[in-house]
Amino acid sequence: MRILVFTTLYPNDVETGKGMFIRHRVQALSRAGAKIKVVAPVPYFPFKKGFGRWSRMARIAYQRMDDKVEVFHPRTLFTPKLGMRFYGRWMKWCCQPTVERILKTHPIDLIDAHFIYPDGYAAYHMAKDLDLKMVVTARGTDAHTYPSMGFLRGRLQRVLQGAKRVFAVSRSLASDLDCILPVGRAVVVTPNGVDTVLFRPLSRTAARSRLHLQQAGKILVGIGRLVPIKSWDLAISALAHLRDLGGGDLPSLYLIGDGELRKRLERKIVDLGLVDHVFLVGERSQVELPYWLSAADALIHPSQREGWPNVVLEALACGTPVVGRDIASIREVAPSPETSILKTPLTGETLAQGVREVLARGYDRKALLAHAHNYSWEQVATNILGELKRIH
């Protein structure tokens, strides 16, 4: 099968950790025999020097090889926080010439778009112009937030109507689409997988030594952007509650990631007197994450909303249990209590209770691994190809 993957979420030379779940899916499909080209638009910016990250984005190569998969990075118009209603059209106009050039030498069977808007919307209109089939995968905000935005609702419905298959990465996201799904159209749930070669249990002692962490005491790790939806303030508050409760040594909490709330979280850590127990580590490469997850006694994950929380599955693949917010998408990945302690409503106090429970409970590492291995990328690729081959 010949597939053109269309997504703004694919990693590039600047955002190396972006959308790794899509890269893993693409590589798994390629290993399974699919012939794939990737078109991954990046924002247009006119200056290659002097404007920090934007100038680095401007220097991204238009065309490159990612292992055995050819990736194209055409430029698309993008105005941050403005003009969202135009993003889909702009993306189509900017990217269709690249798709047409690919088609001249590499015929394709369908466009595989990720994120309903603007990516899926652009792919839908390109497919119409070029007489191609297209499928789309809902991955998060496009399913649980965008349908309530009136100016996007019609665009989302047109994409779902025109797609030959609608995929969602979790059952909860599939349910979120019910309010805009065309009559008679079903959603196929295809969860993300986990790279069980990379994410595997390592010696806790060796992992802590490699990361220069203390050998004694309990360690919690949180992984994700420092943005409001992740609720890292609750994780910090939970440490303060644990300290106030007493009854043992206070765990150390390491937050891996960066984002707009870094300074605010730094102030909170100081204000609560936790500078010796909460550490903002910054971004780390995916290759390093298995060491952090293996060094930890638990992953802390208080996120308010998720499509399919890959980091939870990666923690389980490293033999590490999870404590966090009880929301549907996390329950799908880590059904409580065999793999996790999940709390609702989530406050600093209830999260502290969850931390105590997860640290006191003995978890069978082999059982956690067995659960994670149900979601190998090879199995995901097999399921997706099966669905795509049934399209007429």
Side-chain angles (χ1 to χ4, degrees):
M1 174 160 276
R2 301 163 300 187
I3 302 170
L4 188 143
V5 174
F6 186 82
T7 177
T8 55
L9 300 176
Y10 205 82
N12 55 58
D13 294 340
V14 174
E15 301 162 310
T16 56
K18 182 180 184 179
M20 290 300 293
F21 44 89
I22 297 182
R23 181 184 183 275
H24 287 314
R25 171 166 152 167
V26 164
Q27 295 294 336
L29 288 169
S30 177
R31 291 193 298 271
K35 293 179 172 57
I36 298 181
K37 302 287 182 183
V38 175
V39 174
V42 296
Y44 167 76
F45 192 72
F47 307 110
K48 295 185 177 182
K49 293 182 180 180
F51 291 87
R53 175 181 173 274
W54 286 100
S55 291
R56 293 195 299 275
M57 295 286 286
R59 296 195 295 269
I60 293 173
Y62 170 74
Q63 186 175 356
R64 65 185 176 92
M65 293 300 297
D66 182 13
D67 199 355
K68 297 180 180 179
V69 175
E70 192 171 21
V71 181
F72 297 84
H73 292 294
R75 272 46 183 179
T76 183
L77 295 176
F78 176 71
T79 50
K81 299 182 181 180
L82 295 171
M84 188 176 180
R85 66 179 66 246
F86 304 113
Y87 288 173
R89 284 289 187 184
W90 289 346
M91 192 175 292
K92 185 258 185 185
W93 293 334
C94 293
C95 296
Q96 186 161 322
T98 293
V99 175
E100 290 175 348
R101 282 196 291 272
I102 292 171
L103 285 171
K104 288 179 180 178
T105 55
H106 297 86
I108 62 173
D109 297 310
L110 57 81
I111 300 176
D112 174 24
H114 295 260
F115 223 71
I116 303 173
Y117 186 89
D119 312 44
Y121 186 81
Y124 161 71
H125 283 284
M126 287 190 291
K128 281 182 64 177
D129 283 359
L130 302 173
D131 194 25
L132 295 170
K133 300 170 184 174
M134 63 86 65
V135 301
V136 67
T137 298
R139 293 197 162 273
T141 307
D142 54 341
H144 52 56
T145 300
Y146 286 3
S148 64
M149 299 171 71
F151 70 94
L152 286 184
R153 193 178 181 90
R155 292 168 171 82
L156 299 175
Q157 289 174 322
R158 284 196 289 279
V159 176
L160 299 180
Q161 180 67 53
K164 294 297 183 180
R165 284 288 188 281
V166 177
F167 297 100
V169 293
S170 66
R171 290 190 297 275
S172 59
L173 278 188
S175 297
D176 288 337
L177 290 174
D178 285 346
C179 65
I180 58 170
L181 203 64
V183 175
R185 176 58 52 88
V187 178
V188 180
V189 177
T190 55
N192 290 334
V194 62
D195 182 349
T196 54
V197 175
L198 177 61
F199 291 95
R200 65 199 188 281
L202 305 169
S203 161
R204 182 163 293 162
T205 299
R208 291 187 178 188
S209 177
R210 178 186 174 101
L211 298 170
H212 306 293
L213 305 178
Q214 73 274 15
Q215 290 294 339
K218 300 294 187 181
I219 289 178
L220 304 170
V221 167
I223 301 174
R225 295 280 295 160
L226 305 184
V227 293
I229 198 170
K230 297 297 184 181
S231 296
W232 295 124
D233 58 323
L234 292 184
I236 297 168
S237 295
L239 264 285
H241 280 287
L242 286 172
R243 179 194 57 201
D244 296 342
L245 289 170
D249 292 336
L250 189 62
S252 295
L253 170 62
Y254 294 86
L255 298 182
I256 301 169
D258 218 332
E260 64 194 68
L261 295 185
R262 184 180 184 94
K263 291 189 181 300
R264 186 184 303 178
L265 295 177
E266 287 173 343
R267 288 195 299 270
K268 186 178 183 74
I269 293 166
V270 172
D271 292 345
L272 293 177
L274 292 170
V275 292
D276 294 327
H277 292 279
V278 182
F279 308 93
L280 304 185
V281 177
E283 293 184 356
R284 290 294 183 267
S285 70
Q286 198 171 50
V287 173
E288 189 177 311
L289 294 184
Y291 292 95
W292 285 100
L293 291 170
S294 295
D297 294 279
L299 174 79
I300 192 164
H301 195 72
S303 183
Q304 300 169 32
R305 192 170 60 238
E306 296 279 354
W308 177 265
N310 300 294
V311 68
V312 171
L313 194 55
E314 290 163 356
L316 299 179
C318 292
T320 303
V322 179
V323 58
R325 191 186 300 268
D326 188 0
I327 56 176
S329 58
I330 295 179
R331 283 198 306 275
E332 287 185 52
V333 184
S336 181
E338 292 81 7
T339 55
S340 63
I341 299 294
L342 304 178
K343 296 290 185 177
T344 186
L346 195 71
T347 63
E349 186 173 358
T350 59
L351 186 54
Q353 294 169 356
V355 169
R356 273 196 160 181
E357 292 173 34
V358 82
L359 294 179
R361 182 186 175 118
Y363 282 87
D364 181 352
R365 238 183 175 192
K366 290 184 178 178
L368 298 180
L369 297 180
H371 177 78
H373 280 235
N374 289 327
Y375 297 93
S376 72
W377 277 113
E378 286 66 31
Q379 185 59 52
V380 170
T382 298
N383 295 343
I384 291 171
L385 280 177
E387 282 293 332
L388 298 182
K389 288 175 180 178
R390 285 192 284 272
I391 292 175
H392 301 293

